[in-house]
């Protein structure tokens, strides 16, 4: 359990603002190419901020599923309750995380689905189980957790706040989102930065390097790439061993956010990314640990919590020490335990 | 000099020839004047009546993204039973002692096609399978690049299994192989080069079949990728 006396209660999660552009660009530069939804492209980031401002401001009846929300984690410099400060300079952005209301909006969201087929011949006395990958649109329309990045060395609880506050936001505004939540994670790269999965599959049909293709997809729908991919199942045994080994394997950069979602109850065995074979995690919102444990803060006051406001446009979330009423989070903040029980 | 042999029809398989792919039908034997067997083949008016006859169809799919200026033509393999109901020539044999093997093969094919043209069968085509290419060690790159991946490791020796099960081996093997489209690009380069490539041991038959009007049917044998060739069945009438 995270001790109360080290709880960085001065970290504030809030919607991105127009004047965050410089800081956001700095985060994107530090994030590197592994996070396809957070590219160091000032024009693109500016557009991303504008989209997020519109999404948070939109009334429920004006939403279509196209909305993309972006949150930032900021050192506020003002310690709250009985917690402690992070020691970080006030105003500094420590990270960001997003939500796309509906994946593949207006198009299709492609994944490979892991399946197994069993062949048998009585005459030969043989049975063989074969791993296959099926190009599919199963996750189209799911709500997508995107753009997670937190600066190295940030307090562990900060990553929990940055990732899981999104789940509380989803729970507070279910009419805007799917109850099926999905998150893609970067796949394994070799020592040269090449993706063995891409080299074995995508390159054969797409004729370019993985970073080039991912950059194109970052600015456009992935669907256009799928036009060049085989529509029939891929038989995994036909792939080179390096590609087979990369299926569902996580790039080290993704370990922290991946583990947070796995601890929430996400499943990461069914789908993989069509670019690099990285795992795609999915879960049902109401089954996620943070959502199942969510209560009014007053009911969870004896432990450190992650708490948030209930309003949309002025959404705020922070870590709250035991006994802290978090008056700054408005009436009846929604909270979930920072340390989730083994079985909620 | 005109070859001196005669074509004899029989229902008994000559022991020198490889087995017919299915029972029924008839054998044609080219016999020298001294009775030696110079060549043989088996004719079947309609294949697939006794067992599932599997082959890979070699097709093409186009992967296109006009907005990127990308356009790719990919070769594909689709397991199926496309030759079912067609007539077939199998048991192809030419004696190493035949002085003019091309003439023997030509005569056998001409006689077989004439008989099949008259046969009471719904077949539109006459199909002939040829064994696939093998390397100097006798290994099939097609087997190594595709087939073996769908069998338990080390479970089956292709030559032994073919010996044990005879022609039905390919039907049993078909039960183990993928039913969905396979992109040839996922096969090893050697396996890709073996698609529809005839074994060196059968080039005389390949040439004879082509002279007789057979053409690539864009199908391959499932065990070694050897070509299936086809000729219109009724075209045989013109040759009589």
């Amino acid at each position: 359990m995270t001790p109360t006396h080290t709880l960085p209660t001065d970290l504030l999660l809030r919607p991105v603002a127009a004047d965050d552009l410089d800081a956001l660009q700095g985060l994107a530069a530090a994030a590197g190419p592994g996070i396809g939804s957070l590219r160091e492209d000032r024009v693109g980031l500016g557009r991303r901020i504008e989209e997020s401002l519109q999404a948070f401001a939109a009334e429920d009846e004006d939403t279509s599923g196209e909305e993309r929300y972006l949150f930032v984690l900021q050192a506020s410099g003002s310690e709250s309750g009985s917690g402690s400060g992070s020691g970080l300079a006030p105003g500094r952005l420590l990270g960001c995380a997003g939500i796309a209301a509906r994946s593949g909006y207006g198009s299709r969201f492609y994944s490979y689905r892991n399946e197994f087929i069993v062949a048998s011949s009585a005459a030969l006395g043989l049975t063989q189980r074969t791993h296959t990958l099926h190009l599919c649109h199963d996750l189209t329309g799911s709500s997508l957790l995107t753009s997670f990045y937190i600066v190295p060395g940030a307090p562990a609880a900060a990553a929990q706040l940055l990732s899981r506050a999104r789940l509380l936001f989803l729970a507070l505004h279910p009419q805007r989102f799917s109850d099926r939540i999905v998150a893609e994670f970067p796949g394994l790269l070799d020592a040269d930065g090449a993706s063995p999965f891409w080299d074995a599959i995508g390159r054969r049909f797409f004729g370019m390097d993985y970073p080039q293709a991912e950059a194109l997809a970052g600015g456009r729908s992935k669907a256009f790439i799928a036009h060049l991919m085989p529509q029939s199942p891929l038989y995994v045994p036909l792939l080179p061993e390096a590609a087979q080994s990369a299926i569902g394997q996580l790039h080290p950069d993704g370990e922290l956010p991946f583990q947070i979602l796995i601890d929430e109850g996400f499943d990461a065995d069914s789908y993989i990314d069509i670019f690099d074979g990285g795992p795609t995690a999915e879960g049902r919102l109401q089954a996620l640990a943070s959502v199942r444990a969510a209560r009014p803060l007053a009911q969870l006051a004896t432990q450190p919590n992650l708490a948030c406001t209930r309003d949309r446009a002025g959404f705020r979330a922070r870590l709250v020490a035991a006994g802290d009423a978090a008056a700054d989070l408005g009436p009846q903040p929604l909270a979930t335990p920072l340390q989730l029980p083994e079985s909620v | 000099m005109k070859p001196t042999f005669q074509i004899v029809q029989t229902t008994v398989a000559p022991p020198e020839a490889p087995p017919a792919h299915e029972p029924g039908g008839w054998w044609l034997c080219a016999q020298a004047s001294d009775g030696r067997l110079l060549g043989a083949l088996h004719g079947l008016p309609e294949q697939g009546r006794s067992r599932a006859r599997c082959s890979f169809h070699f097709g093409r799919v186009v992967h296109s993204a006009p907005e990127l200026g990308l356009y790719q033509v990919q070769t594909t393999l689709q397991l199926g039973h496309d030759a079912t109901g067609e007539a077939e020539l199998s048991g192809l044999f030419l004696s190493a002692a035949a002085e003019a093997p091309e003439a023997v093969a030509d005569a056998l094919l001409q006689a077989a096609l004439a008989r099949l043209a008259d046969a009471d069968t719904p077949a539109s085509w006459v199909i002939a399978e040829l064994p696939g290419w093998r390397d100097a060690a006798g290994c099939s790159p097609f087997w190594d690049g595709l087939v073996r991946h769908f069998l338990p490791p080390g479970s089956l020796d292709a030559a032994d299994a073919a010996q044990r099960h005879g022609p039905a081996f390919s039907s049993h093997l078909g039960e183990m192989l993928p039913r969905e489209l396979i992109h040839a690009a996922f096969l090893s380069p050697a396996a890709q080069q073996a698609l529809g490539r005839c074994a060196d041991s059968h080039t005389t038959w390949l040439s004879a079949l082509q002279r007789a009007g057979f053409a690539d049917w864009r199908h391959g044998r499932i065990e070694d990728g050897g070509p299936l060739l086809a000729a219109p069945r009724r075209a045989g009438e013109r040759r009589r």
Side-chain angles (χ1 to χ4, degrees), chain A residues 23-39:
Chain A
L24 189 63
Q25 188 175 0
L27 292 177
I35 304 176
S37 56
L38 186 65
R39 302 209 155 275

Side-chain angles (χ1 to χ4, degrees), chain A residues 99-302:
Chain A
I99 305 171
R102 302 280 176 178
S103 59
Y105 176 82
S107 180
R108 285 165 288 190
F109 183 85
Y110 280 91
S111 308
Y112 277 127
R113 184 179 63 245
N114 286 302
E115 287 194 8
F116 292 85
I117 56 170
V118 176
S120 180
S121 169
L124 297 177
L126 299 177
T127 298
Q128 176 73 341
R129 186 171 184 260
T130 300
H131 184 185
T132 57
L133 298 176
H134 293 246
L135 192 65
C136 70
H137 316 139
D138 291 2
L139 304 180
T140 301
S142 303
S143 290
L144 187 63
L145 303 179
T146 69
S147 312
F148 181 95
Y149 176 72
I150 192 163
V151 297
Q160 297 283 329
L161 173 62
L162 180 58
S163 182
R164 292 168 54 200
R166 291 179 296 182
L167 305 181
L168 296 183
F169 186 79
L170 291 166
L172 284 166
H173 307 285
Q175 66 278 16
R176 294 177 166 237
F177 302 103
S178 168
D179 69 340
R180 194 177 193 183
I181 314 301
V182 168
E184 296 181 295
F185 292 93
L188 209 57
L189 304 178
D190 64 18
D192 298 325
S195 162
F197 186 83
W198 174 263
D199 287 347
I201 300 172
R203 178 187 286 280
R204 296 183 196 277
F205 301 94
F206 207 65
M208 63 179 68
D209 289 337
Y210 169 64
Q212 288 177 273
E214 198 196 24
L216 281 170
R220 309 167 67 168
S221 165
K222 270 187 179 178
F224 86 101
I225 285 184
H227 291 322
L228 288 180
M229 302 290 259
Q231 302 297 306
S232 49
L234 302 183
Y235 293 97
V236 172
L238 295 179
L239 303 178
E241 283 189 14
Q244 293 186 39
S245 299
I247 292 172
Q249 292 302 303
L250 185 66
H251 189 281
D253 287 353
E255 284 178 3
L256 174 61
F258 180 78
Q259 193 56 52
I260 291 172
L261 294 190
I262 293 301
D263 290 345
E264 287 284 347
F266 276 74
D267 163 51
D269 292 333
S270 299
Y271 298 94
I272 63 169
D273 182 79
I274 65 171
F275 286 85
D276 61 8
T280 297
E282 62 147 343
R284 295 287 176 176
L285 181 64
Q286 295 305 323
L288 301 179
S290 287
V291 175
R292 292 172 65 194
R295 306 278 189 281
L297 177 61
Q299 296 180 21
L300 300 170
T302 60

Side-chain angles (χ1 to χ4, degrees), chain A residues 119-121 123-124 126-128 130 200-201 204-207 220 224 227-230 232-235 237-239, chain B residues 63-65 67-68 70 72 74 145 149-152 155 165 169 172-173 175-176 178-183 185-186:
Chain A
S120 180
S121 169
L124 297 177
L126 299 177
T127 298
Q128 176 73 341
T130 300
I201 300 172
R204 296 183 196 277
F205 301 94
F206 207 65
R220 309 167 67 168
F224 86 101
H227 291 322
L228 288 180
M229 302 290 259
S232 49
L234 302 183
Y235 293 97
L238 295 179
L239 303 178
Chain B
H63 295 262
S64 171
E67 66 267 51
L68 297 179
L70 291 179
Q72 290 195 357
Q74 298 275 344
H149 293 294
F150 297 93
L151 304 172
S155 63
H165 296 278
F169 173 54
H172 305 326
L173 189 62
E175 295 172 336
M176 301 300 297
R179 296 287 192 278
E180 304 282 355
L181 197 71
I182 299 171
H183 283 67
F186 291 124

Side-chain angles (χ1 to χ4, degrees), chain A residues 13-17 52-60 69-71 169 172-173 176 309-317:
Chain A
L13 181 126
R14 61 169 172 79
V16 72
S52 181
L53 293 171
Q54 291 175 8
F56 277 103
E59 297 300 326
D60 288 346
Y69 304 80
L70 188 61
F71 304 85
F169 186 79
L172 284 166
H173 307 285
R176 294 177 166 237
T309 61
R310 290 181 180 268
D311 61 337
R312 182 190 69 248
F315 185 78
R316 298 285 186 276

Side-chain angles (χ1 to χ4, degrees), chain B residues 205-217:
Chain B
W205 276 113
L206 175 62
S207 299
L209 287 163
Q210 290 169 336
R211 286 194 298 275
F214 283 77
D216 176 19
W217 204 46

